[in-house]
């Protein structure tokens, strides 16, 4: 009965490859997010979708492309991976308004 | 630009030694201040939401308080299982973004 689940948990790949991370939430929330956490544990917003509509798009390289097929799913596709993309990527969801975020357990991406 | 600053960066306590973590913010028109706990290899786990100055929330050994410019997370008689990184975040009223601080790494020694 995991609330926010993301796969895979670990992703090791080489520079130049393309990879995807999937996220699903069963909380009935209407807003989903992708956050990037660097080695210093700083969480930075990348994207947010509300009811499948992109509402937040931070200054992220356009190699990163989110897709939300429905309000319970948000995927992240990354093209031409670079060393600097290595980080932990978290999916989160919330109800519209000022309600708290609920996070998945992260995907640790390592680019070699 | 909205900012969230947490202090200290790291804190080591003996079991039973109470202390406080600080989260100061510059956003105007606060829509909510959120505290999270993050264990290694896990996602942040929601603890509390505070909406207005003077508000307090408690859960076991943790108590969160809010003023107009900062929030405190008080830890009373901590145990080793309280060891974690504690994050705070505020919601920007204009963009609805959640802006996080860099966290406080708490280590409680038995």
């Amino acid at each position: 009965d995991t609330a926010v689940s993301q796969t895979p948990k670990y992703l090791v790949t080489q520079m130049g490859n393309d990879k995807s991370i999937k996220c699903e939430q069963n909380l009935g929330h209407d807003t989903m997010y992708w956050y990037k956490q660097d080695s210093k544990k700083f969480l930075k917003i990348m994207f947010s979708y509300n009811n499948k509509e992109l509402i937040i798009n931070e200054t992220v390289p356009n190699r990163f492309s989110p897709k939300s097929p429905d309000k319970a799913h948000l995927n992240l596709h990354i093209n031409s991976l670079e060393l600097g993309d290595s980080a932990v990527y978290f999916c989160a969801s919330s109800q519209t308004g000022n309600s708290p975020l609920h996070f998945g357990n992260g995907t640790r991406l390592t680019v070699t | 630009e909205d900012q969230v600053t947490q202090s200290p960066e790291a804190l080591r306590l003996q079991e039973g030694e109470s202390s406080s973590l600080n989260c100061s913010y510059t956003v105007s028109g606060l829509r909510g201040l959120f505290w999270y706990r993050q264990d290694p290899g896990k996602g942040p786990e929601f603890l509390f939401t505070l909406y207005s100055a003077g508000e307090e929330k408690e859960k076991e050994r943790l108590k969160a308080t809010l003023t107009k410019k900062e929030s405190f997370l008080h830890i009373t008689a901590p145990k080793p299982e309280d060891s974690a990184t504690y994050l705070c975040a505020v919601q920007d009223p204009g963009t609805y973004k959640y802006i996080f601080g860099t966290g406080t790494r708490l280590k409680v020694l038995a």
Side-chain angles (χ1 to χ4, degrees):
Chain A
D1 60 343
T2 305
V4 181
S5 60
Q6 48 183 116
T7 55
K9 187 168 175 62
Y10 299 98
L11 193 50
V12 181
T13 188
Q14 292 185 325
M15 284 174 53
N17 284 349
D18 303 338
K19 290 293 179 186
S20 292
I21 307 172
K22 296 186 175 185
C23 179
E24 175 181 2
Q25 56 96 2
N26 63 5
L27 296 167
H29 291 161
D30 56 8
T31 308
M32 295 185 73
Y33 309 78
W34 280 112
Y35 276 83
K36 180 179 180 179
Q37 188 171 49
D38 61 25
S39 56
K40 295 188 175 181
K41 299 291 189 185
F42 181 60
L43 274 165
K44 186 165 171 51
I45 180 76
M46 298 174 70
F47 303 103
S48 176
Y49 272 76
N50 177 265
N51 281 318
K52 303 193 297 177
E53 181 184 345
L54 182 66
I55 57 171
I56 295 175
N57 185 354
E58 287 295 276
T59 48
V60 175
N62 56 17
R63 299 180 295 102
F64 290 79
S65 52
K67 281 194 172 50
S68 182
D70 57 60
K71 73 174 192 177
H73 295 83
L74 179 62
N75 303 322
L76 183 66
H77 187 76
I78 315 170
N79 289 326
S80 304
L81 279 155
E82 300 178 358
L83 292 175
D85 297 332
S86 296
V88 182
Y89 293 84
F90 285 101
C91 176
S93 70
S94 72
Q95 199 55 33
T96 302
N98 52 359
S99 57
L101 297 174
H102 293 262
F103 286 86
N105 279 327
T107 295
R108 180 174 294 277
L109 171 65
T110 304
V111 183
T112 61
Chain B
E1 185 177 309
D2 299 332
Q3 280 198 319
V4 178
T5 305
Q6 291 188 246
S7 61
E9 281 189 25
L11 182 62
R12 290 167 71 94
L13 299 173
Q14 289 295 131
E15 185 172 2
E17 180 187 0
S18 301
S19 188
S20 296
L21 314 183
N22 177 264
C23 171
S24 61
Y25 58 92
T26 59
V27 64
S28 57
L30 185 70
R31 288 180 51 84
L33 184 139
F34 307 88
W35 281 100
Y36 292 84
R37 169 194 171 122
Q38 186 174 21
D39 292 298
K42 299 284 179 112
E45 176 190 348
F46 169 68
L47 293 173
F48 304 109
T49 307
L50 301 165
Y51 292 108
S52 55
E55 191 175 356
E56 298 182 353
K57 294 269 178 78
E58 279 189 76
K59 180 180 178 180
E60 296 179 359
R61 295 176 293 283
L62 300 177
K63 179 179 173 180
T65 61
L66 182 66
T67 70
K68 286 188 177 178
K69 288 298 177 191
E70 59 190 350
S71 176
F72 292 94
L73 185 65
H74 307 277
I75 305 177
T76 302
K79 298 182 177 182
E81 55 261 42
D82 295 323
S83 298
T85 296
Y86 290 86
L87 299 165
C88 76
V90 298
Q91 189 181 39
D92 180 278
T95 64
Y96 288 71
K97 289 182 203 175
Y98 294 81
I99 302 163
F100 281 81
T102 49
T104 294
R105 294 189 313 278
L106 173 66
K107 178 77 172 174
V108 182
L109 304 170

